[in-house]
Amino acid sequence: MPQYQLNANKILDKEFHIDLKGYSPQEVDEFLDMVISDYQLYEETIQELGKQLRAYENQIDQLKEEINQLRSQGDQTVQEVASSSQIDILKRLSRLEYEVFKK
């Protein structure tokens, strides 16, 4: 993350030297007020984006956990289906053997 040279307090505490033909202190002060306002808004935006990022990261973690649960449920279902189909095959074979060898 970049290191900024200015923050709201540094801009607020900045004092300009007054020359005979220098800028109007009132204009400089008004400009600095605008800069401070914008910078505070920028800092608030960064904080809000950080909160949103953390919320999205939490949501991603929850979704990953749900995916893992669904995968394990899917694996169990596949095993159950495989075992039930094997049982059906064994029953069919048993009936077939009975019919063939019932003599």
Side-chain angles (χ1 to χ4, degrees):
M1 189 165 199
Q3 293 284 333
Y4 297 102
Q5 295 180 2
L6 297 176
N7 62 29
N9 290 331
K10 285 182 180 179
I11 294 171
L12 181 63
D13 294 339
K14 175 70 176 163
E15 292 185 19
F16 294 95
H17 300 288
I18 300 174
D19 292 335
L20 290 174
K21 295 184 180 183
Y23 293 107
S24 166
Q26 183 178 357
E27 287 180 43
V28 171
D29 198 33
E30 289 172 3
F31 176 76
L32 289 176
D33 288 342
M34 288 189 320
V35 171
I36 290 169
S37 174
D38 286 348
Y39 202 83
Q40 287 172 336
L41 180 61
Y42 173 77
E43 287 178 343
E44 290 170 5
T45 303
I46 293 296
Q47 289 175 357
E48 181 62 32
L49 291 173
K51 289 178 185 176
Q52 289 177 2
L53 177 63
R54 286 186 292 281
Y56 288 136
E57 287 173 341
N58 289 337
Q59 186 178 10
I60 287 170
D61 290 340
Q62 290 173 351
L63 292 172
K64 284 180 180 177
E65 188 174 314
E66 286 180 31
I67 287 171
N68 290 334
Q69 289 174 354
L70 290 172
R71 281 185 180 155
S72 67
Q73 288 175 357
D75 291 344
Q76 289 173 355
T77 304
V78 167
Q79 289 173 354
E80 290 171 4
V81 168
S83 67
S84 69
S85 66
Q86 289 173 354
I87 291 172
D88 289 340
I89 290 171
L90 290 174
K91 286 180 181 179
R92 287 180 184 177
L93 281 173
S94 175
R95 278 188 246 136
L96 182 62
E97 286 176 346
Y98 176 76
E99 290 297 320
V100 170
F101 297 112
K102 72 178 179 179
K103 300 179 186 180

